Amino acid sequence: MHPAFARSLRAFAATLAAALVAVAAPVALAAPALAEQCTEHAVPPAPVDTSEKPKPGQPVPPPLPVPAQPVGGDLLGGCGPVLPPGAPALPPGDTSASWVLQDLDTGAVVAAKDPHARERPASLIKTLLALVVVTELKPDQVIVPTKEDAEQECTCVGITAGGHYTVDQLLHGLLMHSGNDVAHAFATALGGVDAAVAKMNALAARIGATDTRAATPSGLDGPGMSTSAYDLSLVFHYAMKQPEFAKAVATKTYTIPAIDGKPPIPVFNDNKLLGVYPGFLGGKTGFTDDARHTYVGGAERDGHRLAIVMMRAEQRPTKVVDQAAKLLDYGFALEKNGAQPVGQIAYRPLSTDSAAPMSDKEVTPAGATTAAAEKPDPFGTTGWVLTVVVLLIIIAGFVISYQRKRNARA
């Protein structure tokens, strides 16, 4: 065989081997998760108080069904840390029961821990309420709170019954200071608490948040309340695409102006990473005795926007926001090193008509996938890889045979 041809053939073989490794990598990554389904996480842990006891005559809501395939990808069915191949050790100090790191632009799940474990959201459910609000109410629409709205169990912003507030003003109070009085006022404006909760659950189901069932608009614990780190990541992914929401969570201080003879209401953002963590975009905090500490926050660095959702965390030995900062640092390092995603936020654009079902024309953005959009390939990735290998071997054999005959004639 001619030496130059032999060198070319060896180079071709090396290139082929590298290509096969790259093609087969997703198969190797997904395989271990197929047998690991966390079906024991159908419901949150037992409550520590009576907040979830149904009213007299009302049944206990049954657990939400667990999908046969984990939403967002097979790997996200894992019960522990879900990391890319070759990922470094997780940062120390994490106390959360579950978390999800996602790319806010592509929806790629960078890393996760028990992402579909059913937990209680606490005030993080206000992100879902806010998503309903921005899709149904106009920013300049005026809301007049009732006496019941203003007298909710606090944390409260301090709105007054009979006052006149715009949706945008109240949205700042809802997301910056987690006002339960504001959440109830929004619920009243949406048709009442039951109607608002129904709209929240309908929107959750519509976007694919299969672990989520709101029981209250504020996040106070109630019968059947459930969500997951994945679902709240999905909600936050949608919400951060809404300008009113993104603006409110990124605001450090805000003043609701004096209205109807009442003094102005100063509002301060509860999220301690805002203005401290470089590139922080905003987020939301939450706490109840049953949910413990919950957290969502996003940041931008080197052209990447990441968000972390943490569930059932504790403030010791380090504060939850400091734990979140370390996980964000970890996620940015993974993306910088080109780590392969472990899943995908199943995002689809919201219709302008919030009451209308999403049509098949509401396509997924580039780089994202959805459970509905994914079409199973009956031949399979492995089948295609083997087919390509066989064809290339046949071609290589033909070329070698032809070259040998040519050399013999020479």
Side-chain angles (χ1 to χ4, degrees), residues 44-235:
V48 299
D49 53 29
T50 60
S51 60
E52 297 187 9
K53 185 177 180 180
K55 295 178 180 179
Q58 293 185 351
V60 177
L64 293 170
V66 177
Q69 296 294 322
V71 179
D74 288 330
L75 279 178
L76 300 189
C79 303
V82 186
L83 307 176
L90 290 168
D94 170 39
T95 65
S96 59
S98 58
W99 52 261
V100 166
L101 269 168
Q102 66 154 315
D103 187 304
L104 277 173
D105 295 309
T106 67
V109 177
V110 179
K113 173 185 174 183
D114 215 352
H116 281 291
R118 304 275 170 86
E119 303 285 356
R120 296 173 181 86
S123 285
L124 262 61
I125 205 66
K126 289 185 174 83
T127 59
L128 179 60
L129 173 63
L131 192 55
V132 174
V133 167
V134 299
T135 56
E136 292 207 5
L137 305 178
K138 300 296 183 183
D140 58 353
Q141 181 176 334
V142 174
I143 292 179
V144 181
T146 66
K147 185 173 183 291
E148 184 181 5
D149 297 336
E151 295 179 350
Q152 286 299 299
E153 178 183 343
C154 293
T155 306
C156 295
V157 170
I159 59 175
T160 59
H164 293 71
Y165 307 91
T166 66
V167 167
D168 184 63
Q169 290 169 351
L170 293 182
L171 195 64
H172 281 78
L174 179 77
L175 296 172
M176 291 174 61
H177 192 59
S178 203
N180 291 346
D181 50 352
V182 173
H184 203 278
F186 275 139
T188 300
L190 290 167
V193 170
D194 291 344
V197 169
K199 288 180 178 183
M200 292 165 69
N201 288 329
L203 183 56
R206 184 162 159 252
I207 65 176
T210 56
D211 303 318
T212 297
R213 177 167 55 203
T216 65
S218 65
L220 292 173
D221 296 317
M225 183 79 91
S226 171
T227 191
S228 66
Y230 176 88
D231 276 15
L232 289 176
S233 297
L234 176 63
V235 171

Side-chain angles (χ1 to χ4, degrees), residues 103 105-109 237 341 343-347 363-370 374:
D103 187 304
D105 295 309
T106 67
V109 177
H237 192 95
Q344 181 73 36
I345 296 296
Y347 172 79
V363 296
T364 305
T369 61
T370 70
E374 290 171 349

Side-chain angles (χ1 to χ4, degrees), residues 205 227 257 359 367 398:
T227 191
S359 70
F398 173 79

Side-chain angles (χ1 to χ4, degrees), residues 19 28 32 76 122 185-187 200 254 257 266 274 298 307 312 405:
L76 300 189
F186 275 139
M200 292 165 69
Y254 182 82
L274 189 62
R312 198 154 45 96
K405 291 178 180 179

